[in-house]
């Protein structure tokens, strides 16, 4: 510590403290009381507009983040690769089964792509965004500043989950669009032959793709709820992401064990693959409805867990 | 728990009546015991008057940051209660600018984008004025030139400045700054002090934690001293210093003669430790003491009036040293 004299000096000669140009006093409102708390009052709060603004900020962070853009690009490339592969395989001569179905109709590539991606690659990307949601902010320390702003814990969690849901739907839509475009370029357009053997028009085929996107997106939103809930328990986003993926893989393993068949109806992956109900004639609405109920139950349960944890948590990061 | 509530039709965040400003921060028996059993803050009774620049002093690990986290609703107290700006926390926080335990930003965003992000989190902040306010805050801390630079590429001092800018995003009635001069160069430290004084001159209460006694002494009107989670003293700087007396210190090769002269002048508690002699100044004029010394042929090499510093207060109160690294 410097000696006492110099402190006395400093205190007596405020000129020693250079006030640089950047430190200039911002103009005060004329008529504002010079003493007492600043008269400038915060503008009236518009909760709804403020909520959308925070959600917009969150979406901006998510979709501008290179890591997430890469994941979307990878997901978009898979239907393309599948399409090219099938085109080459079908090039030789007439083939049956799956290859034949796709080779015969451009819209079928969308359903094939979903069945390839819905069990692993799509869940990974949703787990990354969901698992990072709270844990990432906690790890970086930005969570304390968001909450001191004050973002409000319930409000911030709602924004985080909604953001993860929107990303889940973005993932689903990217896969569907990429598959559609690839299919239209590589394969003939025409009435779609369903699993049951009957055919539907192109327009109806597109409608069924739309239903599939809605259903698969809901399934991914259920996974996002798990990821966000796990994200409130740690300050390490990789931990939350890995834990979510472990749950997905454990569920797949359970599904593969015949003795544990009775558990299958309670597992998310069982219902993710049920989007093929749209390929029945007519659409197997009962199966889709049951799937949506399961997704809803998962969302309700894990959002509650996330809320209970996050609103009662000490933010010490 | 912090759930932001919005009172429809409330007088749109009007400042409380200026006639009775009340206190900016009041705590009663505020206690935090962490899960490991560690008592970080123990029955804290703190009163921060409005309009003060309040220094919150204590060595590393004394519970300053934990107290600030409780005041901001980040950490739930184990016991006790507190009030900030005399209103519910959710309503108070938009009027509070905070810097807690160093800067924390999104490394891949620019300084400006980072501030816009935190501004978006405040439900009372208008999106329409965000860019203007962010620009003003950046200018105030001298970061305008680096506004577009990614936070990743900011220097330590620039990061600290950005954190202070984030605390100045809106009209604030209270600024809570946890060690705001950490990592700043001497110039930056002086600028922060000047900025704090300027903000305080606008009527904003500033609650600033530090482990640098000299810094608090120069910036603050009030101070509280923490020691292992306990409050050992609080009050105005003058009242904290008041318990100790001003001394005069004479630097001389003729220590014995000087001591005799000071004694003869009636100064109390003359202590001689060559080449220095010190004594309580009492009400006497230093220049007359100097004249007397010279008259008696004492070679005066240096003469200083030593006012009691907070460090002396601290040592007096706790009987322990202080990890001053100033
Ligand atoms: N999350 C936690 N869990 C357990 N103990 C904690 C936690 N956070 C802080 N502590 C303990 O509480 C005490 C007070 O810590 P705090 O960070 O409030 O000190 P401080 O006064 O801010 O110190 P510094 O000057 O180093 O910033 C310390 O002993 C610390 O180890
Ligand atoms: Mg601290």
């Amino acid at each position: 510590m410097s000696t006492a004299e110099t402190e006395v000096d400093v205190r007596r000669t405020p000129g020693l403290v250079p006030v640089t140009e950047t430190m200039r006093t911002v103009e005060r409102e004329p008529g504002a009381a010079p003493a007492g708390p600043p008269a400038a009052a915060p503008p009236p709060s518009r909760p709804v507009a403020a909520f959308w603004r925070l959600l917009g900020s969150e979406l901006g962070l998510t979709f501008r983040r290179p890591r997430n853009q890469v994941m979307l690009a990878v997901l978009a490339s898979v239907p393309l690769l599948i399409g090219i592969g099938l085109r080459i395989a079908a090039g030789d001569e007439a083939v049956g089964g799956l290859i034949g179905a796709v080779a015969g109709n451009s819209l079928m590539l969308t359903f094939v792509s979903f069945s390839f991606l819905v069990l692993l690659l799509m869940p990974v990307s949703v787990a990354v965004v969901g698992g990072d949601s709270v844990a990432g902010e906690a790890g970086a320390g930005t969570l304390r500043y968001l909450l001191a702003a004050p973002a409000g814990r319930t409000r911030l969690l709602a924004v985080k989950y909604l953001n993860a849901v929107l990303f889940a739907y973005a993932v689903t839509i990217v896969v569907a669009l990429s598959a559609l475009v690839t299919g239209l370029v590589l394969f003939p357009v025409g009435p779609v032959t369903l699993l049951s053997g009957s055919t539907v028009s192109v327009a109806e085929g597109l409608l069924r793709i739309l239903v599939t996107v809605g259903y698969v997106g809901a399934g991914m939103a259920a996974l996002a709820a798990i990821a966000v809930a796990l994200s409130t328990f740690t300050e390490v986003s990789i931990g939350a992401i890995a834990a979510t993926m472990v749950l997905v893989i454990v569920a797949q393993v359970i599904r593969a064990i015949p003795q544990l068949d009775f558990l299958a109806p309670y597992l998310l992956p069982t219902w993710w693959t049920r989007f093929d109900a749209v390929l029945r004639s007519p659409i197997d609405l009962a199966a889709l409805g049951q799937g949506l109920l399961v997704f809803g139950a998962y969302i309700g349960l894990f959002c509650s867990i996330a809320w209970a944890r996050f609103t009662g948590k000490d933010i010490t990061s | 728990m912090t759930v932001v509530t919005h009172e429809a039709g409330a007088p749109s965040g009007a400042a409380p009546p200026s006639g009775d400003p009340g206190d900016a921060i009041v705590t009663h028996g505020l206690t935090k015991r962490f899960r490991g059993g560690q008592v970080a803050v123990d029955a804290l009774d703190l009163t921060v008057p409005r309009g003060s620049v309040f220094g919150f002093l204590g060595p590393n690990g004394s519970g300053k940051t934990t107290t600030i986290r409780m005041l901001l609703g980040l950490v739930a107290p184990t016991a006790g209660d507190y009030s900030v700006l005399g209103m519910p926390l959710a309503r108070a926080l938009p009027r509070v600018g905070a810097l807690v335990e160093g800067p924390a930003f999104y490394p891949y965003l620019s300084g400006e984008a980072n501030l816009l992000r935190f501004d978006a989190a405040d439900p009372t902040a208008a999106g329409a004025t965000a860019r203007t306010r962010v620009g003003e805050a950046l200018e105030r801390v001298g970061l305008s030139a680096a506004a577009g630079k990614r936070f990743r590429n900011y220097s330590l001092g620039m990061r600290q400045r950005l954190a202070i800018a984030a605390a100045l995003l809106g009209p604030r009635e209270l600024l809570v700054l946890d060690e705001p001069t950490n990592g700043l160069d001497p110039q930056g430290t002086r600028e922060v002090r000047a900025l704090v004084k300027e903000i305080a001159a606008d009527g904003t209460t500033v609650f600033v934690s530090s482990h640098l006694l000299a810094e608090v002494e120069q910036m603050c009107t009030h101070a509280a001293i923490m020691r292992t989670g306990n409050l050992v003293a609080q009050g105005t700087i003058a009242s904290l210093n008041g318990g100790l007396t001003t001394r005069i210190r004479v630097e001389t090769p003729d220590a014995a003669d000087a001591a005799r002269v000071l004694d003869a002048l009636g100064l109390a508690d003359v202590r001689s430790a060559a080449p220095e002699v010190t004594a309580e100044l009492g009400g006497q004029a230093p220049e007359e003491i100097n004249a007397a010394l010279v008259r008696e042929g004492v070679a005066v090499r240096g003469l200083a009036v030593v006012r009691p510093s907070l460090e002396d207060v601290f040592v007096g109160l706790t009987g322990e040293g202080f990890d001053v690294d100033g």
Side-chain angles (χ1 to χ4, degrees), chain B residues 62-151:
Chain B
S62 55
K64 303 182 297 292
T65 302
T66 304
T67 304
I68 288 174
R69 282 182 188 275
M70 284 193 278
L71 294 176
L72 297 174
L74 298 174
V75 161
T78 316
D81 51 63
Y82 64 95
S83 104
V84 176
L85 298 173
M87 54 180 98
L89 194 62
R91 258 178 67 207
L93 281 180
R95 303 149 198 249
V96 179
L99 182 125
V100 194
E101 208 155 60
F105 291 96
Y106 304 87
Y108 45 88
L109 293 184
S110 70
E112 186 186 23
N114 265 297
L115 294 192
L116 284 171
R117 162 75 172 163
F118 289 116
D119 191 69
D122 178 355
T124 65
T129 60
R131 279 191 184 278
T132 328
R133 284 180 291 112
V134 165
E136 277 169 7
L138 284 169
E139 193 184 340
R140 228 168 162 193
V141 298
L143 269 186
S144 296
K149 210 175 186 174
R150 276 171 187 245
F151 178 74

Side-chain angles (χ1 to χ4, degrees), chain B residues 31-298:
Chain B
T31 301
K32 181 63 189 181
R33 181 190 298 272
F34 280 108
R35 245 180 303 162
Q38 163 106 39
V39 181
V41 177
D42 194 6
L44 187 67
D45 292 316
L46 198 65
T47 306
V48 178
R50 272 200 197 246
S52 62
V53 178
F54 197 101
F56 194 42
L57 268 167
N60 295 131
S62 55
K64 303 182 297 292
T65 302
T66 304
T67 304
I68 288 174
R69 282 182 188 275
M70 284 193 278
L71 294 176
L72 297 174
L74 298 174
V75 161
T78 316
D81 51 63
Y82 64 95
S83 104
V84 176
L85 298 173
M87 54 180 98
L89 194 62
R91 258 178 67 207
L93 281 180
R95 303 149 198 249
V96 179
L99 182 125
V100 194
E101 208 155 60
F105 291 96
Y106 304 87
Y108 45 88
L109 293 184
S110 70
E112 186 186 23
N114 265 297
L115 294 192
L116 284 171
R117 162 75 172 163
F118 289 116
D119 191 69
D122 178 355
T124 65
T129 60
R131 279 191 184 278
T132 328
R133 284 180 291 112
V134 165
E136 277 169 7
L138 284 169
E139 193 184 340
R140 228 168 162 193
V141 298
L143 269 186
S144 296
K149 210 175 186 174
R150 276 171 187 245
F151 178 74
R152 193 199 303 284
N153 302 329
Y154 273 26
S155 72
L156 187 61
M158 288 160 82
R159 292 171 182 209
Q160 193 74 16
R161 283 162 190 257
L162 189 64
I164 296 173
L168 297 174
L169 274 175
R172 307 297 197 200
E173 285 170 41
L174 171 64
L175 267 194
V176 178
L177 302 175
D178 191 7
E179 316 217 3
T181 56
N182 238 358
L184 292 178
D185 55 19
Q187 168 72 8
T189 307
R190 277 196 299 274
E191 284 175 2
V192 165
R193 273 188 222 140
L195 187 60
V196 164
K197 280 183 182 161
E198 182 191 307
I199 291 162
D202 289 352
T204 303
T205 310
V206 182
F207 183 75
V208 52
S209 92
S210 181
H211 59 276
L212 303 176
L213 290 156
E215 180 174 285
V216 165
E217 205 162 18
Q218 286 173 37
M219 276 198 298
C220 300
T221 59
H222 294 65
I225 299 174
M226 294 279 286
R227 178 93 210 170
T228 54
N230 293 288
L231 192 66
V232 290
Q234 70 174 323
T236 61
I237 299 282
S239 75
L240 287 173
N241 285 348
L244 295 171
T245 47
T246 306
R247 297 179 71 88
I248 186 160
R249 190 175 74 197
V250 182
E251 208 179 305
T252 169
D254 318 318
D257 290 343
R260 196 175 34 76
V261 174
L262 295 181
D263 221 19
L265 285 170
L267 297 187
D269 191 23
V270 178
R271 286 187 224 159
S272 177
E276 273 184 13
V277 180
T278 71
E280 286 185 12
L281 184 56
Q284 305 220 26
E287 61 272 21
E288 273 160 27
I289 295 173
N290 188 31
L293 285 167
V294 173
R295 249 195 329 270
E296 296 295 322
V298 176

Side-chain angles (χ1 to χ4, degrees), chain A residues 116-213:
Chain A
F116 265 87
L117 291 172
V118 83
L119 284 178
L120 192 65
L121 230 44
M122 288 173 64
V124 166
S125 60
V126 171
V128 166
V129 168
D132 188 50
S133 58
V134 177
E137 303 269 10
T142 44
L143 186 57
R144 64 174 181 267
Y145 286 112
L146 288 175
L147 291 181
R153 297 201 185 196
T154 304
R155 187 167 157 269
L156 183 62
L157 191 66
V159 163
K160 288 284 180 189
Y161 181 59
L162 218 57
N163 174 66
V165 169
L166 291 174
F167 185 78
Y169 268 99
V171 162
T172 314
I173 289 167
V174 159
V175 170
L177 279 182
S178 164
L180 256 182
V181 171
T182 307
L184 289 175
V185 170
L186 294 180
F187 304 106
V189 185
V192 188
T193 308
L194 301 175
L195 291 180
S196 49
S198 54
T199 50
V200 296
S201 68
V202 175
E204 165 125 31
L206 287 173
L207 187 70
R208 287 183 185 221
I209 287 179
L210 205 63
V211 173
T212 310
V213 166

Side-chain angles (χ1 to χ4, degrees), chain A residues 3 6 15 25 42 52-53 65 68 72 75-76 79-80 85 124 137 141 143 147 155 217 231 252 289-290 304:
Chain A
T3 58
T6 49
T25 309
W52 289 118
R53 186 173 170 224
R65 192 155 178 186
N68 298 343
L72 288 174
L75 282 164
L80 187 69
V124 166
E137 303 269 10
L143 186 57
L147 291 181
R155 187 167 157 269
S231 185
Q252 318 257 33
Q290 218 175 343
S304 306

